Amino acid sequence: MKPLPNTQPNARKFPLVDYHYHAPMLNGSSAPCLQTSKSLRDITRDYFDAEADREFISEAAVFTALIVMALMPIVTGISAVLQLLGTLPLF
């Protein structure tokens, strides 16, 4: 099997990689923590007190819009079937 005409037999196939590379370390932050939570229960209580109602209302509105958009083609299809059955001769 002979090599391709544009390739050199001793050419590198991959670029050199620096295996001793170390990512720079992040320095410690001097900003104090505003509020520490004592437990997961406190975190969930804070979440449900502050944000759950707003998210529930917006998600309920989106869900209602999706249901209305899904019902419109179903109602249209049922009325088309009923109209078709009305035009067919009954035996």
Side-chain angles (χ1 to χ4, degrees):
M1 177 177 204
K2 67 180 190 175
L4 295 174
N6 292 335
T7 60
Q8 300 171 355
N10 294 332
R12 281 187 264 161
K13 296 182 181 175
F14 295 103
L16 288 178
V17 177
D18 183 11
Y19 291 103
H20 300 290
Y21 175 76
H22 292 284
M25 299 295 291
L26 296 175
N27 296 335
S29 174
S30 62
C33 184
L34 296 177
Q35 180 180 5
T36 57
S37 296
K38 296 179 178 101
S39 67
L40 183 60
R41 186 177 187 184
D42 292 336
I43 295 170
T44 54
R45 183 179 297 136
D46 292 341
Y47 170 76
F48 283 114
D49 286 344
E51 297 181 17
D53 291 335
R54 285 184 297 207
E55 287 187 15
F56 175 75
I57 291 171
S58 64
E59 288 177 359
V62 169
F63 179 75
T64 304
L66 288 173
I67 293 298
V68 167
M69 286 189 287
L71 284 177
M72 289 172 58
I74 293 172
V75 170
T76 305
I78 290 173
S79 69
V81 168
L82 291 176
Q83 185 180 3
L84 175 68
L85 290 176
T87 58
L88 292 176
L90 297 176
F91 296 105

